[in-house]
Each structure stands twice: as C-alpha cells, then as structure tokens.
Amino acid sequence: MPDPILYIGNKNYSSWSFRPWIGMRATGIAFEEKLVPFDMENGNPDFQTFSPTGKVPVLVDGDLTIWESLAILDHAARMHPQSCLWPESTAFRSQAMAMSSEMVSSFMALRSACPMNMRRERRPIEVTPAIAKDVNRIQSLWSSSLEKSGGPFLFGTFSIADAMFAPVVNRLDVYAFETMPEVRTYMDTVKALPAWQEWETAGRAEPWVVAEDEA
C-alpha cells in the first residue's frame, strides 16, 4: 500500500497543518507530504481539488479522505497503534482527548491576536484580558498534566495532545508571553524535537508572506 498523502499549507503559518504533520513525523508514521501554499487573498482555489472543505490539512489514505487536524491524528493513531499517539493509560487517553478537543474549540482571543509564525522576531504584544485568560488556561492545563504524568510531554511520552498544542508553543514563544518554569521547560522540550526543527527550518525558508498573519 502506498503511503497516505498529507496535504498541508505554508509551514510558516499553517497551524492546523502543523498539528497532524508533527504528530505523524515525531512518531515515525510514514506519509507523503504535498504542500499547497495559501499566499493569495482568498486562500488557494487549488485546495478545492483535494479538500472537501477547501481548507488544509487533508489526509488521503487510499480511497479515504479525512479533513480536520484532530480527525487525521486519530485516524493515524488507529492505523498505527504502535505509534502510541494516544496515551496507553485509559485515564490519560481520555484527558488527552479532552485537551485536544478544547484546543479545537477554544482560545480564540490568543489564536486571533497571535497567528502562528515561525519567522516572527520574538517580541511581546499588548495583552488584553481575553488573551491573558486564554494563556492562563493553557498554562494551567499544561502544568497540571505535566505534574500528573511526570513529563517530559503532557502525558509522559509524545501524544496527540502535544501535537495539537504545538502551534501554541510557537505562539507563547515568539509573542514573548511570561510562562511558568515548568511550562518553559515543556516548550523547550517540544521545540527540541527533530520534527519541530525540520518544520521550523522549512517554514523560515519559505518565500511567501501572508500580511494578515504578520501580527
């Protein structure tokens, strides 16, 4: 069987593409990468040729097409149980799913004000109460999970929860948020992953600039 194809957007900016990409790459799941940039005003019409939503990421696995980052990661975990993308502990697995789902549906103030940007010079922004609330919630989630699991990742070993929050690691870093020591250690651990460094290096080298994501 050929490897599944993961369609992604710009590595510098596409947080939703980053999530399944780093999850699969960090756990050794083979896939073919196809990058389709969105350096035009309304995305890229070419997305319509492979994506039922006109967005990225999309995984094509044989006759099966899967959209949405968390669904792609869950599919990868089911197809490759040896990857341990979901924690082995039932309790940790349920908590990892809850945290991943919260990432999908929450933190709108932070996500709106602070787009993922691998090339951004590290500097702070004006922090509104809504942004501060999001950051505090994220740090609370991370520190609680790290305390329960013992680290170095949220549930001990790298999991879907870490993949789902990987773009937030970039946000807290490049927008220079103050973080708790255990949170900074966790962020450094994620950034030290070879998969992270591969993605970041490629993102920094991209020629495309999306003005609305240059916050």
Side-chain angles (χ1 to χ4, degrees):
M1 290 289 292
D3 292 337
I5 300 170
L6 181 65
Y7 290 89
I8 62 173
N10 309 43
K11 288 185 175 179
N12 190 54
Y13 303 111
S14 185
S15 60
W16 292 107
S17 297
F18 188 27
R19 292 177 164 101
W21 189 99
I22 194 172
M24 295 167 71
R25 183 73 95 218
T27 54
I29 297 174
F31 62 94
E32 178 184 352
E33 171 191 315
K34 289 194 177 182
L35 191 155
V36 184
F38 50 78
D39 61 331
M40 48 197 71
E41 184 174 352
N42 295 310
N44 188 328
D46 288 345
F47 287 175
Q48 301 292 341
T49 64
F50 59 82
S51 173
T53 61
K55 299 177 182 180
V56 286
V58 168
L59 185 76
V60 177
D61 190 0
D63 294 333
L64 184 64
T65 296
I66 306 167
W67 60 101
E68 300 296 341
S69 301
L70 184 53
I72 292 170
L73 283 164
D74 182 65
H75 173 77
R78 292 171 186 271
M79 296 299 292
H80 302 274
Q82 77 284 356
S83 69
C84 297
L85 268 171
W86 286 123
E88 292 186 11
S89 160
T90 300
F92 279 179
R93 187 163 60 249
S94 296
Q95 289 180 321
M97 173 60 85
M99 286 178 62
S100 298
S101 298
E102 184 173 354
M103 179 65 253
V104 171
S105 63
S106 305
F107 315 122
M108 299 304 180
L110 176 67
R111 286 157 56 178
S112 177
C114 304
M116 189 181 85
N117 187 333
M118 291 291 175
R119 290 194 298 255
R120 188 181 190 273
E121 177 185 354
R122 191 173 190 272
R123 62 184 186 279
I125 61 167
E126 181 179 351
V127 178
T128 65
I131 295 171
K133 181 179 179 181
D134 283 352
V135 172
N136 289 340
R137 172 59 179 164
I138 290 164
Q139 292 203 68
S140 176
L141 281 171
W142 290 0
S143 61
S144 176
S145 291
L146 291 166
E147 182 179 5
K148 291 176 182 176
S149 71
F153 296 100
L154 294 175
F155 293 97
T157 57
F158 184 89
S159 73
I160 286 175
D162 300 290
M164 290 300 294
F165 278 98
V168 178
V169 171
N170 170 259
R171 288 176 165 109
L172 297 190
D173 184 30
V174 301
Y175 294 94
F177 287 97
E178 294 185 7
T179 56
M180 295 181 286
E182 63 270 28
V183 167
R184 172 50 61 180
T185 298
Y186 168 69
M187 291 166 59
D188 290 342
T189 298
V190 175
K191 290 173 61 182
L193 286 167
W196 174 289
Q197 295 175 5
E198 179 186 350
W199 177 282
E200 180 177 6
T201 298
R204 287 179 175 275
E206 288 177 345
W208 310 292
V209 175
V210 180
E212 65 186 43
D213 287 337
E214 291 292 329

